[in-house]
Amino acid sequence: MAEDPKDAAPARPRGGFFAKVRRGLFMTHTEILEKLGTAVKQGLGIDESVLESLEEALLSADVGAETAGALTDAVRQRASVATRKDLPAVRAMLLEEIEAVIAKAPKPPARPAVPLFVTFLVGVNGSGKTTTTAKLAAREKAASRSVLLAAADTFRAGAIDQLQTWADRLELPVVRHREGADPSAVLFDALSAARARGVASLLVDTAGRLHTKKNLMEELSKMRRIAAREVPGAPHETLLVLDATTGLNGLEQARRFVEAAGATGVVLTKLDGSARGGIVLAIYRELQLPVLYVGVGEGVDDLVPFEAAEYARALLGDDATH
Ligand code: GDP
């Protein structure tokens, strides 16, 4: 296979969550802090105009109206009793409130010790499901687990070949049918193959839309039933893949995936270069789901486990990071 130009590009920054997400979050936090800094300088400490600027800054970072309002109210209440009236004080309060939002969401469950671990990747077309499937497969392989991929996105033109290309590069097997085939049939075959071959990890790339008029959510529910029938407890993990650049518009749709597809965690893609890092908070507060990974590029290594505490600090500009 011809070398992918992305692979030949100069080494991407590596090493830790901060290094990977810094670009995206740097833009977000610069905006928040600039707005806040100006407001604090103009006002006399943490007054209403500063709080308004804070809410506005949070909204522009895409934390969502509800979350921006709740965070600002929390700072308002605390600021009235605060003695320190400076930007670091607002920042510290906000950091605590952000950490509290994250702490309230359910924690990702520990990976069960099962012979075959089944992961579904769900989400709308273009969110990055196929790419994320490949990135997760690479991680599983690196953890010395045997992997099988299921190309169950039979709707999007080219999705099956795209997954196959990744699989070839990673030297991993794929179960595939033709384009337009029944996604549940692909899943059934993949589950059978995984059991027969004693595979440890089955990653299922699902469709964001269907060929038929059949409802996508019904199809995903059916796939869940098939998985559970064939492998007890499956799917063990259902990852909702969300594109950070579509911002809050995606959240309404995301709710349907949580309800109907039983999403257990989120992978937030395209955080590289997006100034919308605040969406992580909207996901925690409004979907009540943990973010498990963030995508920071198109390469197979561009997936990093989400670090909530580091994220909160990076969002508000951690002095140690730059
Ligand atoms: P799907 O329709 O959900 O399967 O989406 P794809 O996996 O085909 O991804 C859609 C596009 O987004 C592709 O061009 C991917 O290379 C790109 N993509 C996926 N994840 C990321 C990411 O984390 N960062 C960037 N910059 N691009 C991404």
Side-chain angles (χ1 to χ4, degrees):
M1 191 189 307
E3 199 184 20
D4 188 321
K6 279 180 243 93
D7 293 340
R12 285 182 291 270
R14 284 183 202 281
F17 179 76
F18 264 144
K20 292 269 194 178
V21 301
R22 188 188 284 182
R23 260 173 309 161
L25 293 183
F26 182 73
M27 293 188 324
T28 314
H29 85 229
T30 304
E31 208 172 319
I32 294 178
L33 287 185
E34 264 173 15
K35 285 206 173 108
L36 262 182
T38 313
V40 169
K41 265 186 219 127
Q42 282 165 357
L44 297 166
I46 307 163
D47 58 13
E48 264 315 303
S49 78
V50 170
L51 291 165
E52 264 171 40
S53 298
L54 170 62
E55 190 159 3
E56 198 187 304
L58 290 170
L59 284 172
S60 67
D62 247 1
V63 305
E66 211 184 299
T67 312
L71 286 173
T72 309
D73 279 348
V75 172
R76 179 180 285 113
Q77 276 173 15
R78 297 175 54 173
S80 62
V81 294
T83 49
R84 285 175 302 165
K85 294 178 176 176
D86 52 9
L87 184 57
V90 186
R91 187 184 163 283
M93 277 184 235
L94 197 53
L95 181 60
E96 282 180 31
E97 296 300 331
I98 288 173
E99 282 168 349
V101 169
I102 290 174
K104 264 187 220 138
K107 303 277 170 296
R111 187 179 175 119
V114 289
L116 170 59
F117 190 80
V118 180
T119 306
F120 280 14
L121 288 101
V122 300
V124 296
N125 269 353
S127 57
K129 275 188 306 296
T130 305
T131 312
T132 303
T133 305
K135 290 173 176 177
L136 282 173
R139 290 184 68 88
E140 291 288 81
K141 192 180 170 189
S144 304
R145 296 193 185 104
S146 52
V147 184
L148 178 66
L149 301 174
D153 184 355
T154 60
F155 174 81
R156 182 168 66 76
I160 300 171
D161 287 340
Q162 190 185 333
L163 192 65
Q164 182 79 59
T165 304
W166 279 115
D168 291 347
R169 210 180 286 178
L170 295 166
E171 298 181 333
L172 293 174
V174 186
V175 169
R176 57 181 289 176
H177 291 186
R178 61 180 166 74
E179 224 170 89
D182 176 4
S184 288
V186 180
L187 172 68
F188 185 82
D189 282 358
L191 289 163
S192 308
R195 276 184 318 198
R197 297 178 203 175
V199 160
S201 178
L202 172 66
L203 296 169
V204 185
D205 183 19
T206 68
R209 281 178 64 196
L210 298 175
H211 279 277
T212 57
K213 288 229 170 69
K214 220 164 132 192
N215 184 294
L216 173 64
M217 298 302 159
E218 278 170 29
E219 182 67 34
L220 288 171
S221 302
K222 179 176 157 195
M223 290 173 76
R224 292 179 66 77
R225 287 196 299 277
I226 291 172
R229 195 183 66 207
E230 299 300 313
V231 176
H236 304 91
E237 190 160 65
T238 299
L239 297 175
L240 174 59
V241 181
L242 286 180
D243 176 345
T245 63
T246 60
L248 297 166
N249 296 338
L251 280 195
E252 195 46 50
Q253 226 163 1
R255 233 171 246 129
R256 299 184 59 214
F257 280 98
V258 179
E259 285 157 18
T264 51
V266 169
V267 179
L268 187 65
T269 61
K270 310 183 198 180
L271 201 57
D272 47 311
S274 162
R276 296 175 143 179
I279 195 173
V280 170
L281 287 186
I283 293 167
Y284 271 90
R285 194 162 189 281
E286 291 169 35
L287 297 183
Q288 287 287 301
L289 275 187
V291 175
L292 302 182
Y293 296 95
V294 292
V296 291
E298 295 181 274
V300 79
D301 295 329
D302 293 328
L303 186 76
V304 282
F306 182 69
E307 306 268 359
E310 293 195 27
Y311 158 80
R313 282 188 289 129
L315 187 65
L316 293 180
D318 189 297
D319 294 340
T321 64
H322 55 91

